[in-house]
Amino acid sequence: MIIIRTLEELSELTNSVEYRNSTVGFVPTMGALHEGHGSLITTAKKDNQLVICSIFVNPTQFNKVEDLEKYPRKEKEDVAILEKLGCDFLFMPSSEEIYKNYQFEGIDLKELETVMEGKYRPGHFQGVCQIVYRLFDVVKPTRAYFGLKDFQQVAVIKYMTSFFKLPVEIVACPTIREENGLALSSRNLRLSELEKQDALIIFKTLDFIQKNLTQFETISELENKALEVFKSGKLTLEYLEIVDQNTLTLLDEKNKSNLVACIAAYNNHIRLIDNMILS
Ligand code: PAF
């Protein structure tokens, strides 16, 4: 695997005949790679002739300095994982390098950034769009792969790609879970074994919602019962919402199609999110 740290080296690569004549699968990450990222790389390898991954902990998408500082960094382990998976290129720029001579005017994400993650992490999705736009511009991929664990992020990136008519296909890949249901996340590295057990209440609540979707007349009734399930655990809830998969808002209390259930909660100081596509 070739490791690239500067825009100059990257531009040499993207201008090469091999790169220009190949389909390129791109997996943008913030590192601390786990099997979830692994499955994105594997899917990208199946779909494309070349695969490039990026690792960059993007400061502009963090709302809390502490969260940015404590975000796990595991460069050596990440490189070994990517080598093993047969990734062709790894782009690992510094903040100065990636943001050099780059201005992002912002994008009106409409209700996509006022609900759920948008509501509780103001500015977060502008930061995500800022970096993803930049990465697409310099990496020039054919397809880009994102995990559905960040359901709202996928919706935002699809919207941005279509808004700016970017020439890249967005591929959304399923959430990878531990056998007990816990969604894989780089943030899990900051959880103790006990905290990991406590975190399972998120999956249990989502599972309850899925299994009981048709048992209640309205979505509000189902949400209220699900809240009771969640409250039997130890986590502090930020939001639990059952919404339409496209608008991320609830259109009709009685319509049970095209829904996704989303949860964000604090496990002591660690913020976790997860979701389940219901119908
Ligand atoms: O999902 C992530 O890891 C990040 O939000 C992304 C897409 C790499 C942008 O920094």
Side-chain angles (χ1 to χ4, degrees), residues 65-241:
V65 182
E66 191 207 346
D67 203 19
L68 170 63
E69 280 167 359
K70 295 217 167 125
Y71 201 84
R73 282 143 173 105
K74 302 209 159 265
E75 187 175 315
K76 227 170 106 195
E77 291 90 332
D78 289 347
V79 169
I81 291 172
L82 292 171
E83 296 261 13
K84 204 165 159 201
L85 290 168
C87 182
D88 301 291
F89 307 100
L90 169 59
F91 179 45
M92 228 174 354
S94 66
S95 196
E96 295 71 36
E97 185 68 17
I98 193 69
Y99 283 129
K100 193 163 63 182
N101 302 326
Y102 170 58
Q103 291 239 318
F104 182 70
E105 300 297 328
I107 172 172
D108 181 1
L109 293 165
K110 311 225 167 1
E111 69 278 0
L112 286 184
E113 69 176 335
T114 60
V115 299
M116 299 194 291
E117 290 303 283
K119 181 168 164 195
Y120 288 93
R121 302 186 67 189
H124 167 67
F125 286 127
Q126 290 298 324
V128 170
C129 287
Q130 179 183 30
I131 188 62
V132 172
Y133 186 101
R134 176 61 158 172
L135 287 168
F136 284 178
D137 193 36
V138 293
V139 172
K140 307 189 191 321
T142 316
R143 302 184 182 90
Y145 296 78
F146 296 89
L148 278 168
K149 183 173 119 11
D150 296 303
F151 191 91
Q152 194 169 357
Q153 171 171 276
V154 174
V156 162
I157 289 168
K158 279 186 176 166
Y159 180 83
M160 178 191 76
T161 305
S162 122
F163 183 85
F164 290 120
K165 300 189 173 51
L166 304 179
V168 50
E169 183 190 330
I170 305 302
V171 185
C173 301
T175 303
I176 305 296
R177 300 180 181 279
E178 287 186 10
E179 239 169 71
N180 58 17
L182 183 68
L184 297 192
S185 162
S186 304
R187 285 167 201 260
N188 292 355
L189 285 172
R190 294 175 60 195
L191 301 176
S192 67
E193 278 313 309
L194 204 63
E195 286 171 329
K196 271 191 173 184
Q197 286 303 312
D198 293 342
L200 284 178
I201 193 65
I202 297 180
F203 176 74
K204 281 186 196 149
T205 308
L206 292 170
D207 191 48
F208 171 88
I209 294 172
Q210 183 163 63
K211 290 190 173 127
N212 290 279
L213 185 62
T214 52
Q215 302 302 309
F216 297 90
E217 208 188 326
T218 65
I219 299 297
S220 299
E221 282 172 70
L222 175 57
E223 269 179 2
N224 287 338
K225 281 287 167 206
L227 276 175
E228 283 176 26
V229 175
F230 184 86
K231 281 181 190 156
S232 69
K234 293 187 186 151
L235 270 58
T236 309
L237 188 68
E238 201 161 64
Y239 63 78
L240 183 166
E241 291 198 27

Side-chain angles (χ1 to χ4, degrees), residues 1-5 9-10 12-14 16 18-20 22-29 33 41 45 49-55 78-79 82-83 85-92 139:
M1 182 176 66
I2 296 173
I3 299 179
I4 296 164
R5 291 187 191 267
E9 288 169 287
L10 183 64
E12 249 174 60
L13 171 70
T14 57
S16 69
E18 191 201 0
Y19 198 93
R20 280 196 282 137
S22 303
T23 50
V24 178
F26 176 41
V27 181
T29 79
L33 303 181
I41 299 278
K45 265 189 86 70
Q49 288 156 316
L50 294 175
V51 172
I52 178 164
C53 174
S54 67
I55 295 181
D78 289 347
V79 169
L82 292 171
E83 296 261 13
L85 290 168
C87 182
D88 301 291
F89 307 100
L90 169 59
F91 179 45
M92 228 174 354
V139 172

